[in-house]
């Protein structure tokens, strides 16, 4: 994907969020304006859960807040509270989440 395509794709993601579509969508995968995204509700645990983010994955927490860290291998790069409406972009990083809250999030791939 070249620079122009990346900018167009980012604008489409912004438009989807501006229209509040993920807030109204049911859980599951969605495809709008050539953008595939997933909405999921889940309960975190004290132990957390680890996932490897796909290349250029954007996460937006729709409800609640969550403690999370980003690491590569055993080295932690960032540990913070992930708050509602604050997007994070992950590129091939391990993401660990923990807190014991019921959350709703959306993730945009690619």
């Amino acid at each position: 994907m070249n620079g122009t395509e990346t900018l167009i794709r980012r604008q489409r993601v912004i438009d989807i969020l501006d229209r509040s579509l993920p807030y109204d969508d049911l859980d599951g995968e969605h495809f709008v304006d050539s953008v595939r995204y997933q909405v999921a509700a889940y309960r975190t645990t004290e132990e957390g859960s680890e996932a490897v983010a796909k290349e250029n994955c954007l996460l937006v927490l729709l409800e609640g807040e969550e403690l999370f860290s980003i690491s590569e291998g055993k080295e932690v790069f960032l540990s913070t509270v992930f708050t509602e409406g604050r997007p994070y972009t992950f590129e091939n990083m391990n993401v660990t989440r923990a807190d014991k809250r019921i959350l709703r999030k959306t993730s945009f791939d690619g």
Side-chain angles (χ1 to χ4, degrees):
M1 190 177 294
N2 66 36
T4 302
E5 291 171 334
T6 300
L7 288 174
I8 291 170
R9 179 162 179 76
R10 286 182 183 167
Q11 186 58 55
R12 287 180 180 157
V13 168
I14 291 167
D15 291 345
I16 289 169
L17 289 169
D18 279 349
R19 290 172 9 216
S20 297
L21 296 181
Y23 292 89
D24 299 330
D25 287 332
L26 297 174
D27 288 2
E29 241 183 58
H30 304 275
F31 192 74
V32 176
D33 298 337
S34 302
V35 175
R36 184 176 309 281
Y37 64 95
Q38 183 174 8
V39 175
Y42 58 97
R43 180 183 290 276
T44 59
T45 66
E46 287 180 3
E47 296 81 30
S49 60
E50 187 171 334
V52 178
K54 297 177 183 175
E55 187 176 340
N56 294 326
C57 180
L58 174 72
L59 273 176
V60 179
L61 201 59
L62 301 174
E63 294 175 19
E65 64 181 31
E66 177 174 33
L67 178 67
F68 80 105
S69 63
I70 301 173
S71 62
E72 191 169 35
K74 295 183 180 182
E75 186 177 344
V76 175
F77 290 110
L78 174 67
S79 182
T80 188
V81 174
F82 186 16
T83 59
E84 206 171 296
R86 191 164 136 202
Y88 282 92
T89 302
F90 302 105
E91 294 184 27
N92 300 320
M93 294 286 185
N94 295 321
V95 181
T96 304
R97 303 179 189 93
D99 201 354
K100 269 190 152 173
R101 297 176 189 263
I102 297 175
L103 301 168
R104 211 159 170 259
K105 70 170 184 180
T106 186
S107 56
F108 298 86
D109 296 331

